[in-house]
Amino acid sequence: MNKKRNTNMLFIIVSAISAVFILIPLILRIKLVYKATSWFLSPLGEYGSSYIETLGAILGTFLAVTGALWTQRKIDEVQDRKELRESALIVYYDFEFVFNDVKRFMSRYMIHQEVVCNTLENFELFKKIKDISHIYIYIDDNWIQNVAKLSYSLSGTEIQEIYKLYGDLNTIKRAFNSSINEMTEDDAESAYSIMFKDICSITGTLTSPTKIDVSLKENVQSIMDRLKDLGDIDEKCVQ
């Protein structure tokens, strides 16, 4: 931030000096300024014009350098915004696809289990719902780097929340990406606990007719909203 501010300030100063230099013919029409300039250059004699030419060359060089720095900074800002948006998009859709699968699974499980319980009570039902839901979880391999790029735009608390969510998703992934025969009950219990306690907000009743709503917990939805803003994601694209 200081580097950007210093570059801007230097460019403004040099531009102002250049403007004054360009307007010298008009400024010298002011008698007081003309006398002061003549007095200042008088010791140089015939070298006065050379002095002014050298001053102009130095000023032109400074202007070119600061102009190049300012242009490069603008290019860097555009690139930074592009990388930020790309990272936010990747993280957002990593979460979006998994959360949709999780909500769908939890809704089906609750309806078939006919009870809302914060612990896994029926491992066989878990495997059955997993099988008919055809859930396979994919997470971008470079998620650590993607989250790190978001650290300049999100608070420390938000970054910690995102890292935790990725840890949770990896636990869920271990259960859902295993075959029915390879899945362990411990993995299923860990996945279920995370989905129920840390990701999903479950409301409604399981009475007849069944009416149950599975949404994201408030803190998780808040993270999704922040990622949506950073990724400049159109609301229509996620409906």
Side-chain angles (χ1 to χ4, degrees):
M1 183 64 70
N2 288 335
K3 184 178 179 181
K4 294 179 180 180
R5 186 162 49 243
N6 291 340
T7 302
N8 274 339
M9 184 59 66
L10 182 60
F11 184 75
I12 291 171
I13 292 173
V14 175
S15 298
I17 295 173
S18 299
V20 172
F21 193 82
I22 292 171
L23 295 174
I24 280 179
L26 292 176
I27 296 173
L28 288 177
R29 290 180 177 274
I30 303 173
K31 185 176 295 185
L32 182 61
V33 175
Y34 178 81
K35 288 182 178 180
T37 303
S38 298
W39 173 81
F40 178 74
L41 295 175
S42 59
L44 297 176
E46 62 184 11
Y47 297 107
S49 59
S50 298
Y51 172 81
I52 294 175
E53 290 175 0
T54 303
L55 183 62
I58 294 173
L59 186 60
T61 300
F62 273 115
L63 186 61
V65 171
T66 54
L69 290 173
W70 185 84
T71 301
Q72 184 60 50
R73 184 177 67 78
K74 289 297 182 183
I75 293 173
D76 291 343
E77 286 180 352
V78 171
Q79 183 63 29
D80 288 345
R81 285 196 296 269
K82 179 181 177 182
E83 291 181 359
L84 173 64
R85 182 173 186 271
E86 288 176 351
S87 296
L89 282 171
I90 292 171
V91 175
Y92 178 88
Y93 283 111
D94 268 357
F95 289 170
E96 175 75 3
F97 294 139
V98 177
F99 291 159
N100 284 341
D101 284 339
V102 165
K103 289 187 292 183
R104 178 161 51 93
F105 173 88
M106 291 298 283
S107 179
R108 288 177 174 176
Y109 180 88
M110 295 296 171
I111 291 172
H112 283 80
Q113 177 71 5
E114 297 183 343
V115 63
V116 176
C117 188
N118 61 3
T119 58
L120 182 64
E121 298 294 324
N122 192 331
F123 180 46
E124 292 303 317
L125 179 60
F126 186 101
K127 291 192 293 184
K128 179 182 177 181
I129 300 299
K130 169 196 175 307
D131 191 40
I132 64 175
S133 298
H134 303 293
I135 295 175
Y136 185 87
I137 292 175
Y138 172 81
I139 298 174
D140 190 271
D141 292 335
N142 298 315
W143 66 267
I144 294 178
Q145 293 91 322
N146 290 327
V147 177
K149 291 177 181 178
L150 301 177
S151 61
Y152 298 102
S153 299
L154 296 177
S155 69
T157 301
E158 289 170 328
I159 292 297
Q160 289 178 4
E161 185 76 24
I162 291 174
Y163 276 123
K164 180 184 180 301
L165 284 171
Y166 265 114
D168 290 343
L169 295 193
N170 276 294
T171 299
I172 296 171
K173 177 182 177 181
R174 187 164 58 247
F176 280 100
N177 289 11
S178 300
S179 67
I180 294 297
N181 294 328
E182 293 175 342
M183 184 194 299
T184 67
E185 190 166 354
D186 285 343
D187 285 344
E189 288 177 350
S190 296
Y192 183 89
S193 178
I194 288 172
M195 291 187 294
F196 188 94
K197 296 177 182 178
D198 299 328
I199 294 177
C200 294
S201 177
I202 301 172
T203 57
T205 62
L206 291 167
T207 57
S208 183
T210 299
K211 183 178 181 182
I212 188 166
D213 179 63
V214 181
S215 57
L216 295 179
K217 287 190 176 295
E218 186 176 343
N219 62 310
V220 178
Q221 186 59 56
S222 176
I223 290 294
M224 294 297 286
D225 291 340
R226 291 286 287 124
L227 290 170
K228 188 187 296 184
D229 289 340
L230 290 178
D232 193 24
I233 299 171
D234 191 337
E235 187 70 30
K236 296 179 181 178
C237 296
V238 295
Q239 291 180 344

